Amino acid sequence: MEEVCLNSEPVFDEGDDYEVEGDSSAVGCDDETGENCSKKERPEPTVGLEFDSFDEAYDFYNVYAKEQGFGIRVSNSWFRSKRKERYRAKLSCSSAGFKKKSEANNPRPETRTGCPAMVVIRLVDSKRWRIVDVELEHNHPVNPQIKRFYKSHKRMILAAKKAQPPPEPVTEVHTIRLHRRALMNTGCNVYLNVDERGHVDHVDHFKHLELKEGDALAVYNYFCRMKLTNPNFFYLMDLDDEGRLRNVFWADARSRVAYGFFCDTVTIDTTCLANRYEIPLISFVGVNHHGQSVLLGCGFLGHESMEYFVWIFRAWIKCMQGHLPQVIITDQNKPLQSAVSEVFPNARHCYNVCCITQRVPERLGGLQGYEAIKRQLNKAVYNSLKIAEFETSWADMIKCHGLGDNKWLQTLYKERQAWVPVYLKDIFFVGMIPIQEDESLNAFFDGYVHKHTSFKEFVDKYDLALHRKHMKEAMADLESTNSSYELKTRCNFEVQLSKVYTKEIFRKFQSEVEGMYSCFNTKQLRVNGQIATYIVKERVEVAGSEKEVRHFEVLYDTSQADIRCICCLFNYKGYLCRHALNVLNYNGVEEVPSRYILPRWGKDYKRRGLLDHNSGDVDVDNPIYWHNLLYRYAIPVVEVGAESSDHYKIALQELEELLNKFNLAEDNLV
């Protein structure tokens, strides 16, 4: 028997924002006055000095001011209008400017002198803050002997005091007893990283989850409750040598079943890590037969390093019985990239273009001509049909705006084959990357998680989020099965796929059928054996009401009924584009070839889309395998049974009879 302690050491974050008068965070001084801070080779504020954060830049100038004998304050700040994120600030001497005239009977005497001393800092590449303007001269005497009377210095001292841990930190300790051998032998889904000698496995870093009061108990109680009500619930914990929780992974029964259907392309969502949320949540998300996002597992990551990512990926694959995704989409993150390469060496790994384009205002917003840069960047990314077009558009943007030294753009260009759509045409994405500028993809827990959501709060909201997602899928199943679709054209392609696709996927395909009428002048360009090359012209909207004619090249193999368009919508979205449909229509083909009708978009996909369970990699004698297979067969029974009163009565009767048979079989054994 092993004991697993979830230790929670309260961590207090004093906040990120500064008031106009100038807050400060700890700077690591040894005593109250900060006299023991190192002064060796401390540089003066100079243009070009860079810092990792706004706080660090503020602290640098505040320490310098303290040594010189003046106080500072944030006299001006510039923020992004929508995201309210600071990208530029002016730190001034506390004597800068003049106070407003007071109408009081006994106004306080004026203490400011309009001092010009200041530094201006600006957010530049890689989220670093750079000094872009400096004035060191004051128009009043500065005296190091009175430095303790300045507000910015007092706050610095208070922050340093708060940052020092108490001599005997109070920790919340909750002990979880896990009978490992018994659980493993009975096929239970609770595991610890324990080696053959019984030692808890660990990685190089000694980071752990920063659990606050009540978090550990909430997480533990949730897992216990789920195991009692749902035997196929899976969770795995990673502990350090002191019993502190480093990483957690879990997946409920629906996520495990959904993975069997929708594991072809998976997004590993690390939005909470990238945005420094209180909970280091990592989500594994796929797309179901309605084009809706579906959860395939969750985890909390104790440290953003390759080793920790590797642990949580392996926990995920253990949960899914070794089945690997074909395509993995992640944020642009080096430790994450390395972990994916190690755990999924045969998968195609791509960056989420949404994550990259969302950073454009932050990275380039302070540049002159920003709007023009953004337009050219989006044009290069979303409008390029050929690699040569992208290369030309990108080079023009760099040259036109003098961006050759921009490190962020240099990195993007170097890794362009991992995120620019024109380089990813051979990958099947099932709609999980945007291919148009106005497309956007929401995170699975969007609306349920914010920057300060606690572990305890997330556990409470987790079930609600999943319940609403499941209800949305159930309603879509019901509509797709029972509703007749409204046809908008006389095209036989529309009639054909209305009998096959789910409602939402049909709606998207229907848009392509309607779009056939914006195409014109389908012309055969050349023939090479059985392969004919066509040019389809289309009027597309480019800006506002403006339209331009674009040429789409389509290859059609008459012997194999194989058709490919240069826009590659089929690979991106999973259904044929208007250009390919035009060429089929041009050749007298009245139905979409079966190879271009993906079963995963079918109304009955979950009823018949079972995996190949005869795979040699699956232990068919494992109780977990039995549970998963039976669960997957049972779900369609429940879904169809809930479609009508007659179906409900039949399903209930049959299930009751089945349970009676189980009881009779047990009685015979006794």
Side-chain angles (χ1 to χ4, degrees):
M1 184 176 71
E2 296 166 347
E3 294 185 354
V4 183
C5 296
L6 299 188
N7 284 6
S8 153
E9 298 183 3
V11 176
F12 301 99
D13 185 354
E14 294 302 322
D16 300 322
D17 297 331
Y18 285 85
E19 298 176 0
V20 174
E21 289 298 320
D23 294 342
S24 177
S25 61
V27 295
C29 297
D30 294 334
D31 60 14
E32 288 187 16
T33 64
E35 295 296 338
N36 294 334
C37 288
S38 174
K39 297 182 181 180
K40 291 193 300 183
E41 301 181 0
R42 187 188 304 280
E44 285 188 342
T46 54
V47 173
L49 274 180
E50 292 190 354
F51 307 90
D52 290 331
S53 65
F54 174 85
D55 294 4
E56 186 178 319
Y58 181 95
D59 291 341
F60 168 80
Y61 192 50
N62 200 18
V63 171
Y64 167 79
K66 186 177 181 184
E67 293 174 355
Q68 298 298 314
F70 65 96
I72 70 167
R73 58 189 171 88
V74 182
S75 60
N76 206 349
S77 288
W78 290 261
F79 295 84
R80 312 284 184 209
S81 57
K82 292 183 179 180
R83 303 180 66 180
K84 295 185 179 180
E85 291 182 346
R86 192 195 320 257
Y87 69 91
R88 188 182 177 96
K90 181 178 181 181
L91 310 180
S92 300
C93 171
S94 56
S95 296
F98 297 95
K99 292 181 179 179
K100 293 181 179 179
K101 292 184 178 180
S102 174
E103 297 180 358
N105 293 331
N106 296 306
R108 293 182 179 180
E110 177 63 72
T111 57
R112 298 184 183 179
T113 64
C115 181
M118 58 83 195
V119 297
V120 177
I121 55 175
R122 189 180 73 182
L123 187 64
V124 293
D125 297 336
S126 304
K127 293 187 177 179
R128 292 180 64 79
W129 287 81
R130 179 184 299 164
I131 295 179
V132 295
D133 194 8
V134 174
E135 175 56 61
L136 298 180
E137 296 299 324
H138 298 261
N139 64 0
H140 61 92
V142 292
N143 185 357
Q145 300 305 317
I146 62 169
K147 58 190 174 185
R148 295 190 59 173
F149 294 96
Y150 288 109
K151 186 182 294 185
S152 63
H153 304 160
K154 288 181 179 179
R155 291 184 176 180
M156 181 169 64
I157 295 167
L158 290 174
K161 283 184 177 181
K162 286 185 178 182
Q164 294 177 359
E168 295 182 0
V170 178
T171 61
E172 175 196 358
V173 180
H174 191 87
T175 301
I176 306 175
R177 297 179 181 272
L178 298 179
H179 302 264
R180 180 177 177 272
R181 291 194 182 91
L183 294 181
M184 290 292 284
N185 292 337
T186 59
C188 187
N189 304 315
V190 184
Y191 301 94
L192 282 176
N193 263 17
V194 182
D195 62 21
E196 294 177 355
R197 296 170 296 174
H199 296 151
V200 178
D201 186 20
H202 65 279
V203 294
D204 294 339
H205 300 283
F206 294 96
K207 304 287 185 180
H208 58 89
L209 294 173
E210 298 176 343
L211 301 174
K212 296 183 179 179
E213 185 176 357
D215 287 343
L217 188 60
V219 172
Y220 170 60
N221 284 343
Y222 176 76
F223 287 166
C224 289
R225 185 173 72 252
M226 290 304 297
K227 286 302 298 180
L228 288 173
T229 59
N230 187 343
N232 207 31
F233 182 85
F234 177 103
Y235 69 94
L236 186 63
M237 296 182 176
D238 177 31
L239 310 177
D240 65 16
D241 293 333
E242 298 177 5
R244 292 182 299 185
L245 189 61
R246 287 190 303 215
N247 303 301
V248 179
F249 172 83
W250 76 94
D252 63 15
R254 282 183 177 270
S255 292
R256 301 182 76 181
V257 172
Y259 185 85
F261 292 110
F262 309 115
C263 66
D264 45 5
T265 302
V266 177
T267 290
I268 301 176
D269 186 354
T270 55
T271 302
C272 293
L273 299 177
N275 295 334
R276 298 291 184 262
Y277 280 23
E278 188 169 322
I279 54 168
L281 176 67
I282 179 170
S283 307
F284 300 87
V285 182
V287 167
N288 67 11
H289 52 311
H290 300 288
Q292 302 167 345
S293 59
V294 56
L295 190 66
L296 306 177
C298 273
F300 292 136
L301 198 72
H303 180 55
E304 201 168 345
S305 65
M306 174 186 168
E307 293 88 348
Y308 279 52
F309 279 122
V310 165
W311 183 91
I312 211 160
F313 292 166
R314 287 177 175 162
W316 180 44
I317 297 307
K318 181 190 288 287
C319 171
M320 303 305 173
Q321 300 184 32
H323 294 296
L324 302 177
Q326 301 166 19
V327 179
I328 294 176
I329 305 170
T330 72
D331 197 356
Q332 193 180 22
N333 179 301
K334 289 298 182 183
L336 183 56
Q337 180 182 4
S338 300
V340 169
S341 298
E342 179 169 326
V343 182
F344 312 102
N346 298 321
R348 290 296 300 269
H349 180 204
C350 312
Y351 296 148
N352 191 332
V353 65
C354 268
C355 294
I356 292 174
T357 54
Q358 284 172 0
R359 295 194 181 105
V360 170
E362 172 190 335
R363 298 287 189 167
L364 307 178
L367 299 179
Q368 186 176 1
Y370 163 69
E371 292 298 332
I373 295 172
K374 182 181 177 182
R375 282 195 300 271
Q376 285 189 261
L377 178 63
N378 287 334
K379 180 181 178 181
V381 172
Y382 294 114
N383 292 357
S384 299
L385 292 174
K386 299 180 180 179
I387 290 177
E389 291 180 17
F390 170 79
E391 296 286 348
T392 301
S393 296
W394 187 275
D396 289 346
M397 175 189 70
I398 298 296
K399 183 178 179 180
C400 179
H401 299 280
L403 301 173
D405 294 331
N406 189 289
K407 294 180 181 179
W408 185 62
L409 291 177
Q410 288 175 358
T411 301
L412 290 186
Y413 181 75
K414 183 179 179 181
E415 299 180 343
R416 61 194 182 281
Q417 295 182 4
W419 68 277
V420 179
V422 74
Y423 289 94
L424 307 174
K425 289 186 173 184
D426 62 329
I427 302 176
F428 184 54
F429 285 109
V430 295
M432 294 194 75
I433 66 165
I435 57 172
Q436 295 179 354
E437 183 179 343
D438 57 353
E439 283 187 80
S440 61
L441 302 174
N442 294 327
F444 185 86
F445 289 106
D446 189 36
Y448 297 94
V449 177
H450 54 79
K451 190 161 188 175
H452 300 293
T453 300
S454 66
F455 288 85
K456 183 178 183 300
E457 184 182 356
F458 175 75
V459 169
D460 293 338
K461 289 184 175 181
Y462 175 81
D463 279 340
L464 175 62
L466 262 62
H467 174 72
R468 288 178 176 173
K469 298 283 186 178
H470 295 154
M471 286 297 296
K472 186 178 179 181
E473 180 178 327
M475 290 300 298
D477 283 337
L478 196 61
E479 290 179 357
S480 298
T481 304
N482 296 340
S483 303
S484 58
Y485 303 153
E486 178 187 356
L487 303 181
K488 298 183 178 181
T489 70
R490 296 181 180 180
C491 181
N492 198 55
F493 299 141
E494 186 182 16
V495 177
Q496 177 195 8
L497 274 302
S498 69
K499 302 173 183 177
V500 179
Y501 284 159
T502 58
K503 186 175 182 179
E504 181 61 23
I505 300 303
F506 174 72
R507 185 186 64 79
K508 294 176 180 178
F509 174 75
Q510 189 178 49
S511 176
E512 293 304 310
V513 175
E514 291 182 280
M516 291 172 62
Y517 297 97
S518 66
C519 300
F520 63 96
N521 194 22
T522 300
K523 182 179 180 182
Q524 188 178 94
L525 194 62
R526 56 183 174 272
V527 178
N528 184 8
Q530 298 292 327
I531 301 176
T533 302
Y534 294 85
I535 293 294
V536 178
K537 296 181 181 180
E538 181 190 6
R539 291 187 181 90
V540 296
E541 197 171 278
V542 289
S545 59
E546 287 187 37
K547 291 189 176 182
E548 69 176 23
V549 175
R550 303 193 70 190
H551 298 71
F552 295 86
E553 189 176 290
V554 182
L555 301 181
Y556 180 49
D557 185 341
T558 55
S559 63
Q560 302 293 328
D562 189 12
I563 191 163
R564 300 182 185 182
C565 177
I566 195 170
C567 78
C568 278
L569 185 74
F570 182 76
N571 281 359
Y572 292 139
K573 302 293 186 180
Y575 44 83
L576 284 182
C577 64
R578 58 195 65 185
H579 320 112
L581 295 175
N582 255 302
V583 171
L584 290 176
N585 186 60
Y586 182 87
N587 283 273
V589 179
E590 295 184 352
E591 291 192 341
V592 174
S594 59
R595 69 171 63 186
Y596 298 108
I597 305 175
L598 298 181
R600 78 175 331 278
W601 300 139
K603 301 178 184 181
D604 59 348
Y605 174 61
K606 290 182 71 175
R607 300 179 198 172
R608 60 184 178 86
L610 298 175
L611 290 173
D612 179 11
H613 296 288
N614 296 321
S615 171
D617 296 333
V618 176
D619 180 7
V620 295
D621 296 322
N622 191 325
I624 300 176
Y625 167 77
W626 301 340
H627 188 287
N628 287 349
L629 186 57
L630 289 172
Y631 193 92
R632 296 186 67 215
Y633 274 104
I635 279 185
V637 175
V638 174
E639 291 174 345
V640 176
E643 290 177 357
S644 68
S645 176
D646 291 339
H647 285 187
Y648 167 74
K649 292 176 182 178
I650 294 171
L652 189 60
Q653 181 180 348
E654 294 295 328
L655 289 173
E656 287 176 346
E657 290 182 7
L658 184 61
L659 289 173
N660 289 332
K661 289 181 181 179
F662 289 153
N663 293 332
L664 288 173
E666 288 183 0
D667 292 341
N668 291 335
L669 288 176
V670 176

